[in-house]
Amino acid sequence: MKTPAEFRAEAHKMADRIADYFEQVELYPVKSLVKPGEIASQLPDFPPDRPVQMDDIMEDFEKIILPGITHWQSPNFFAFFPANSSYPSVLAEMLTATLGQQGMIWETSPAAAELEQRVMEWLKNMCGLPAEWSGVIQDTASASTLAALLTAREKATGFKVNAEGFDRDWKLRIYCSSETHSSIEKAARIAGIGRKNLVKIAVDHNFAMKPAALRDAVEQDLRDGYKPTCVVATIGTTSSTAVDPIDEIGKICREYNIWFHVDAAFAGSALVLPEKRHFAEGLDQADSFVFNPHKWMFTNFDCSAYFVNDPDMLIRTFEILPEYLKTRTRGQVNDYRDWGVALGRRFRALKLWFVIRNFGVDGIREKIRKHLDLAQWLAGEINQSQEFELLAPVPFSLVCFRFCPRHIHDESMLDNINEKLLLQLNASGQIYITHTRLNGKYTLRMVTAQTNVEHRHIEKAWRLINETAAELMKSG
Ligand SMILES: *Cc1c(COP(=O)(O)O)cnc(C)c1O
């Protein structure tokens, strides 16, 4: 492919293929059924020396690659949390790839920098976040949380670790609940704070952090000469979408002058709904906050919205200024390379802009409300069923449950049955769900938040779960 004319012809074909894919996505097994190594074994050991025609590449894509694809954009995808896409998002990504922007500083792409600033203000407004916050798009919540921990570390040490490294024992401590996402531990390790200084606070019967236990841990650490540096609270934990008591935790952080980071990677999108904002009460006390439009706001991976109360702290933590990056516009505009780990930055704001405008805020609200209703419907069915039970409250669009036939009381037997049930459901290719453990119990997780999921998909999945469970009992 060398000429614009050749590209045009191929691009038209590709647009048709993409539309076909969306039309037919329900026909594929949701979870890829290939075995480990099956894809690699079909790929040659060495790259081709001679050009390969697009038709041949696409033929291999269909034959070799597609069977190894797990269809995250299928409305029968109920696993993990979704990585949602949508039509406007896909179209924006085409443009993003075409323009190939590298938005490290304002000068390298003024529109990328200024659009990013504006769409982050839009998100803040849409979600009712504090007006004084500043936002930046990161690739993932993991990177956002790492930025939070690094900034907290520098604030606690007076920017000494950045300057001198760990030449003394700062005895920094980070706090989160036992239900917190693994990215917090990863960030604590990378930031040089260490896993042993990540204090896991106990949770209550709804899997939310106990603020009294947090206070006890902080006070004990102060007595022992540690420096409480950061508390990470979650709105919507990964296992069960539990919500930590933000207001109470925020007050403790203010009292002891501890950085307060709030991780709402999945559930943060629900804050577009005024009726869900009570979960974020007290959020104005946070120093930093992250949620992922790439999970539940129809903007394809990757797009993580990171907000900070004091951008100067963030910039002081990450700023670096070699001669070749000095510009005359410094200080007048946002140079986002100073707002996170990477220097080079993708033009992620474009897809968010397309999505917010093409859905409209009302359109986004309507979809998220529908997903919440679908979860309530499923939770209602489970509650009415004699054979299934809910294992956690359903504040958002994740339903945690298990199969528990009345005559079986042995916990390890129930674990086994539910694991078998999960494997059979996923092997059917019809749906994809995942699991967790809650109070030690093997728990099925079903998320009703895929962009195009409708009531009929949930109904069909629920029927399949019942039928598969019944068969499992018959076959012993
Ligand atoms: C998914 C998730 C993360 C990690 O998100 P990435 O963007 O993949 O890094 C962090 N925290 C919570 C609560 C999550 O659900």
Side-chain angles (χ1 to χ4, degrees):
M1 223 179 334
K2 291 195 182 96
T3 66
E6 284 172 306
F7 174 76
R8 186 184 304 275
E10 291 300 337
H12 283 157
K13 280 196 262 176
M14 189 63 82
D16 278 334
R17 283 199 189 93
I18 293 172
D20 288 347
Y21 176 74
F22 279 120
E23 230 164 45
Q24 295 162 9
V25 67
E26 286 182 55
L27 302 178
Y28 300 102
V30 189
K31 179 179 188 286
S32 171
L33 302 173
V34 297
K35 295 190 179 54
E38 200 174 319
I39 306 298
S41 70
Q42 298 174 73
L43 300 167
D45 290 338
F46 298 100
D49 286 326
R50 313 281 310 156
V52 178
Q53 293 307 303
M54 278 311 296
D55 281 347
D56 294 334
I57 297 175
M58 283 312 296
E59 200 184 309
D60 285 344
F61 172 80
E62 305 264 344
K63 207 174 72 199
I64 303 171
I65 305 299
L66 258 186
I69 291 293
T70 288
H71 296 278
W72 287 72
Q73 304 316 318
S74 166
N76 295 311
F77 182 100
F78 307 113
F80 307 105
F81 284 135
N84 273 334
S85 189
S86 64
Y87 297 136
S89 188
V90 172
L91 293 178
E93 281 285 42
M94 291 181 186
L95 277 180
T96 303
T98 303
L99 300 171
Q101 298 291 283
Q102 205 280 53
M104 54 187 171
I105 50 181
W106 179 86
E107 252 187 42
T108 61
S109 189
E114 294 187 17
L115 185 64
E116 180 159 339
Q117 191 172 349
R118 187 47 50 97
V119 289
M120 291 304 280
E121 279 160 11
W122 283 6
L123 276 187
K124 188 169 74 179
N125 174 278
M126 287 161 64
C127 296
L129 304 176
E132 61 279 12
W133 283 5
S134 303
V136 53
I137 303 180
Q138 307 279 0
D139 53 0
T140 57
S142 303
S144 301
T145 292
L146 175 61
L149 258 61
L150 290 170
T151 313
R153 183 192 76 189
E154 288 313 299
K155 189 182 177 205
T157 62
F159 294 86
K160 283 281 190 338
V161 175
N162 260 1
E164 298 164 7
F166 282 98
D167 67 344
R168 65 177 118 152
D169 183 8
W170 286 97
K171 300 194 84 173
L172 305 179
R173 290 282 227 193
I174 311 285
Y175 308 83
C176 64
S177 90
S178 52
E179 291 288 310
T180 310
H181 190 266
S182 55
S183 56
I184 287 63
E185 180 180 321
K186 205 182 207 179
R189 287 198 252 161
I190 297 170
I193 292 163
R195 187 173 54 207
K196 98 172 167 25
N197 292 311
L198 179 67
V199 182
K200 299 262 177 94
I201 307 296
V203 294
D204 65 15
H205 62 285
N206 286 330
F207 310 103
M209 189 194 290
K210 287 181 173 167
L214 172 65
R215 179 184 292 279
D216 288 349
V218 166
E219 287 180 353
Q220 184 61 49
D221 277 352
L222 286 170
R223 282 194 293 274
D224 293 344
Y226 287 101
K227 180 150 187 45
T229 302
C230 180
V231 175
V232 182
T234 310
I235 299 178
T237 59
T238 311
S239 263
S240 70
T241 59
V243 181
D244 291 334
I246 300 301
D247 193 38
E248 283 174 87
I249 295 170
K251 286 195 175 105
I252 295 170
C253 290
R254 289 288 74 87
E255 189 180 331
Y256 294 96
N257 193 24
I258 307 171
W259 189 278
F260 184 26
H261 176 60
V262 177
D263 175 4
F266 172 69
S269 294
L271 299 180
V272 292
L273 305 179
E275 68 267 28
K276 289 289 170 188
R277 293 204 187 137
H278 60 94
F279 287 121
E281 204 189 304
L283 188 61
D284 56 325
Q285 301 168 93
D287 294 287
S288 52
F289 172 77
V290 59
F291 86 97
N292 285 346
H294 73 229
K295 275 185 169 162
W296 198 12
M297 208 178 262
F298 322 117
T299 308
N300 69 279
F301 191 84
D302 49 357
C303 182
S304 180
Y306 181 55
F307 290 93
V308 292
N309 184 44
D310 181 357
D312 291 343
M313 276 292 171
L314 180 67
I315 292 167
R316 269 184 78 188
T317 301
F318 287 104
E319 190 174 46
I320 213 122
L321 193 61
E323 189 57 37
Y324 50 82
L325 289 177
K326 286 182 183 157
T327 58
R328 289 169 149 265
T329 53
R330 240 185 106 64
Q332 298 168 49
V333 292
N334 286 345
D335 291 321
Y336 283 116
R337 63 123 202 274
D338 292 333
W339 294 56
V341 172
L343 169 65
R345 309 183 77 252
R346 267 159 52 64
F347 189 3
R348 297 188 188 88
L350 193 70
K351 58 189 170 183
L352 197 49
W353 190 55
F354 271 45
V355 168
I356 295 172
R357 295 187 71 197
N358 192 244
F359 275 83
V361 179
D362 284 348
I364 291 173
R365 288 198 171 117
E366 197 180 310
K367 257 210 189 296
I368 291 180
R369 274 202 187 98
K370 178 193 243 168
H371 294 165
L372 295 168
D373 289 347
L374 293 176
Q376 286 309 316
W377 180 84
L378 179 63
E381 292 292 307
I382 291 166
N383 263 333
Q384 281 168 35
S385 153
Q386 309 287 336
E387 309 245 87
F388 288 84
E389 65 173 346
L390 284 178
L391 293 177
V394 184
F396 301 106
S397 52
L398 165 64
V399 183
C400 293
F401 65 104
R402 71 171 174 177
F403 179 47
C404 54
R406 280 174 153 194
H407 59 284
I408 300 177
H409 301 289
D410 181 71
E411 282 296 328
S412 69
M413 204 182 272
L414 285 171
D415 285 358
N416 282 334
I417 293 171
N418 279 281
E419 187 177 1
K420 255 194 206 154
L421 176 58
L422 176 107
L423 292 174
Q424 285 205 11
L425 287 167
N426 291 344
S428 78
Q430 302 209 46
I431 65 173
Y432 183 17
I433 63 175
T434 46
H435 80 283
T436 186
R437 261 183 207 277
L438 294 173
N439 288 327
K441 296 171 184 170
Y442 191 97
T443 304
L444 306 176
R445 287 172 81 265
M446 185 159 157
V447 188
T448 61
Q450 212 289 320
T451 308
N452 297 311
V453 66
E454 296 287 342
H455 187 72
R456 66 187 163 90
H457 299 109
I458 306 296
E459 221 174 351
K460 199 183 99 192
W462 176 234
R463 210 178 317 126
L464 182 72
I465 291 167
N466 275 277
E467 287 165 7
T468 311
E471 271 165 39
L472 210 66
M473 285 295 93
K474 256 192 275 167
S475 64

